[in-house]
Amino acid sequence: MTRSFWAKVIGNPSVFSLEARIFNAICITSAVALFLNVFFNALLGFTQIAILMAAVFVVVILCYYCARVKMMLDGSVIVYMIASNILFIVNYKYNSGIDGPTILLFILSFFLTICIVSKKQYWFWITLNLAIVIALFTIEYKYPGSIINTYPDSKSRFIDFGYSYIAVVFFVFIVTTSVRKAYDTEHKLVKQKAIELEYANDTKNKLFSILAHDLRSPLASIQNYLELLSEVELDEHERLTINTGLINATRNTQQMLSNLLFWSKSQMEGVTVNLVKVNLKEVLQSTFDIEQASAIDKGINLTNRLEEFTQIVADADMLQLIVRNLIGNAIKFTGTGGEIVLSADVAGDNCRIIIKDNGIGIPYEQQKDIFSLKADSTFGTNNEKGVGLGLVLSKEFTELQHGAIGFESAPGIGTTFYVSFKLNFQSQ
């Protein structure tokens, strides 16, 4: 709660630079210190200094407003530095010169200069700080009467020094803490960026692998077949065998390319989701019919047990792509004579689409990465190539529709995928 409030006061790290956040923290701390000092100096009888501090308090608040709200950091820093130096010069003159605590304030000013001034102004303000201190010391040394001791007694001097020391230490503590917190925040952001960059690099490598091998191989097969046709006489059985293999390879490649294009677009441009109420059986009928043909070619029994009037809230195109990928995977990893069942059940406000097969299942060691591009390429029961991209896409598109996806699998027994969606808008 406190950290969140402080982040709002000095600025969000994603919007404000480290220097800007430090300057905003210094402005807030300065305003509090000046407000307290107005009353403290008035009590000690330093009326002129109290009035000047009140004026500088207003200037600091304006600097904070310009830096935090108007995003005018450079101008705000310049005004702040000018106002603080004027305040310290006047304070030196009317607060007992070298016998007073102003030298502590100039040290504090030097520290703040290092923290907040930009590189192009850095040496100017440091040189100015040193020049002002040397000039004030020189004037007081050469003209002793120009600056007088204004303390009525030694007790007042000790109180003023003690208070000034506490104020300076508090100021340094606040600024240093802000710098450390800002550094920690920047460090976490850098680590997060590094993780994201590593993931993006892994994704890039995976996609290049898909393009280099999984899309090239079927094209090479088609080319070899065409060359074979032009050079060798084939009997009907050989021609039929090759045709079947090429059809399967082309179908798998087309599905893979479709997934690749959809996924690449979602990563680069984002995806627009059009959630509407759809009839589950109607919207998936064409998908089922297409996959039914693939299942028949492989000798697999694909059964549709979806009920007539089940309605869910989903994007029809995304839903078809998800189910097409899941049924396609089931066909790929189920052998001849196997069975795949498409069904759905309802629990409360949710409808769960179920794709169950009695295929080869997913090895336990691969299950944790099944929805990521870390998953290794695998081959189906007829050596169909699978790269896992369809499952990555299915998960992303399911979650974009506020749905959930999961699975159960046992090697040698089969796999069941579950995809859940809301039944109506009110329950979202």
Side-chain angles (χ1 to χ4, degrees), residues 197 276 357 400 407:
L197 182 61
V276 295
D357 67 61
L400 283 172
F407 71 95

Side-chain angles (χ1 to χ4, degrees), residues 137-144:
F137 281 3
T138 302
I139 292 171
E140 185 174 8
Y141 177 76
K142 288 186 173 291
Y143 307 99

Side-chain angles (χ1 to χ4, degrees), residues 31 37 46 48 51 59 62 67 83 97 113 183 192 226 259 265 273 318 332 376 391 409 419:
N37 269 284
F46 303 143
Q48 293 171 310
I51 293 173
V59 173
L62 289 174
T113 300
Y183 170 79
Q192 181 62 32
L226 293 175
N259 286 337
K265 181 180 179 182
V273 183
M318 286 187 178
K332 190 178 299 180
D376 295 328
L391 291 179
S409 184
V419 188

Side-chain angles (χ1 to χ4, degrees), residues 34-194:
L34 287 166
F35 183 79
L36 296 175
N37 269 284
V38 169
F39 296 101
F40 182 76
N41 282 281
L43 290 174
L44 290 178
F46 303 143
T47 307
Q48 293 171 310
I49 296 178
I51 293 173
L52 179 61
M53 285 189 171
V56 176
F57 168 79
V58 174
V59 173
V60 170
I61 292 296
L62 289 174
C63 287
Y64 170 77
Y65 173 78
C66 291
R68 176 66 179 81
V69 179
K70 298 296 184 180
M71 311 287 284
M72 300 166 57
L73 178 62
D74 290 340
S76 300
V77 170
I78 292 173
V79 173
Y80 179 90
M81 294 302 298
I82 292 173
S84 60
N85 278 293
I86 292 174
L87 174 63
F88 296 154
I89 292 171
V90 175
N91 192 73
Y92 186 89
K93 176 175 175 55
Y94 291 101
N95 199 9
S96 306
I98 200 170
D99 294 318
T102 310
I103 189 63
L104 293 175
L105 300 180
F106 274 110
I107 294 173
L108 177 62
S109 176
F110 187 90
F111 171 71
L112 297 182
T113 300
I114 295 173
C115 291
I116 65 175
V117 171
S118 63
K119 290 183 179 179
K120 59 184 178 182
Q121 300 177 8
Y122 189 79
W123 289 109
F124 170 79
W125 290 109
I126 288 179
T127 304
L128 181 64
N129 181 282
L130 296 173
I132 290 173
V133 172
I134 293 172
L136 290 173
F137 281 3
T138 302
I139 292 171
E140 185 174 8
Y141 177 76
K142 288 186 173 291
Y143 307 99
S146 61
I147 298 177
I148 61 175
N149 191 320
T150 54
Y151 291 111
D153 50 49
S154 60
K155 180 181 178 181
S156 298
R157 183 170 182 270
F158 276 103
I159 292 174
D160 193 23
F161 259 95
Y163 175 80
S164 297
Y165 172 79
I166 292 172
V168 170
V169 168
F170 174 73
F171 218 105
V172 171
F173 171 77
I174 291 295
V175 173
T176 305
T177 302
S178 298
V179 170
R180 291 198 61 172
K181 285 183 177 178
Y183 170 79
D184 290 341
T185 301
E186 296 287 340
H187 184 62
K188 289 178 181 177
L189 288 174
V190 169
K191 288 181 67 176
Q192 181 62 32
K193 292 291 184 183

Side-chain angles (χ1 to χ4, degrees), residues 234-387:
L234 300 175
D235 60 35
E236 190 63 26
H237 176 71
E238 290 174 329
R239 187 185 297 273
L240 183 60
T241 301
I242 293 176
N243 281 345
T244 302
L246 285 177
I247 289 172
N248 290 332
T250 304
R251 182 183 294 140
N252 291 333
T253 303
Q254 184 179 19
Q255 176 69 21
M256 190 187 308
L257 181 59
S258 176
N259 286 337
L260 180 62
L261 293 175
F262 266 107
W263 188 82
S264 299
K265 181 180 179 182
S266 72
Q267 297 300 303
M268 293 185 294
E269 303 175 6
V271 178
T272 301
V273 183
N274 180 31
L275 294 178
V276 295
K277 186 171 287 188
V278 297
N279 182 291
L280 189 59
K281 187 167 186 177
E282 286 181 2
V283 79
L284 292 179
Q285 188 60 52
S286 60
T287 300
F288 179 83
D289 292 341
I290 293 171
E291 298 303 324
Q292 178 78 284
S294 300
I296 292 172
D297 288 343
K298 197 173 178 181
I300 295 171
N301 182 28
L302 176 59
T303 305
N304 184 356
R305 294 181 183 171
L306 295 176
E307 296 183 1
E308 292 288 343
F309 304 107
T310 304
Q311 290 190 327
I312 65 170
V313 176
D315 181 301
D317 293 332
M318 286 187 178
L319 178 61
Q320 290 173 347
L321 184 143
I322 293 166
V323 174
R324 184 167 67 245
N325 273 306
L326 295 179
I327 296 179
N329 269 3
I331 294 171
K332 190 178 299 180
F333 297 106
T334 299
T336 300
E339 183 177 14
I340 301 170
V341 178
L342 171 64
S343 62
D345 59 23
V346 175
D349 292 333
N350 292 298
C351 175
R352 188 174 64 163
I353 303 169
I354 305 168
I355 297 95
K356 182 177 182 179
D357 67 61
N358 59 356
I360 61 176
I362 304 169
Y364 291 118
E365 64 274 12
Q366 295 181 12
Q367 291 186 13
K368 66 180 185 303
D369 296 323
I370 201 69
F371 290 116
S372 74
L373 284 175
K374 293 180 181 179
D376 295 328
S377 298
T378 53
F379 290 90
T381 54
N382 279 359
N383 288 323
E384 306 100 322
K385 193 67 172 12
V387 296

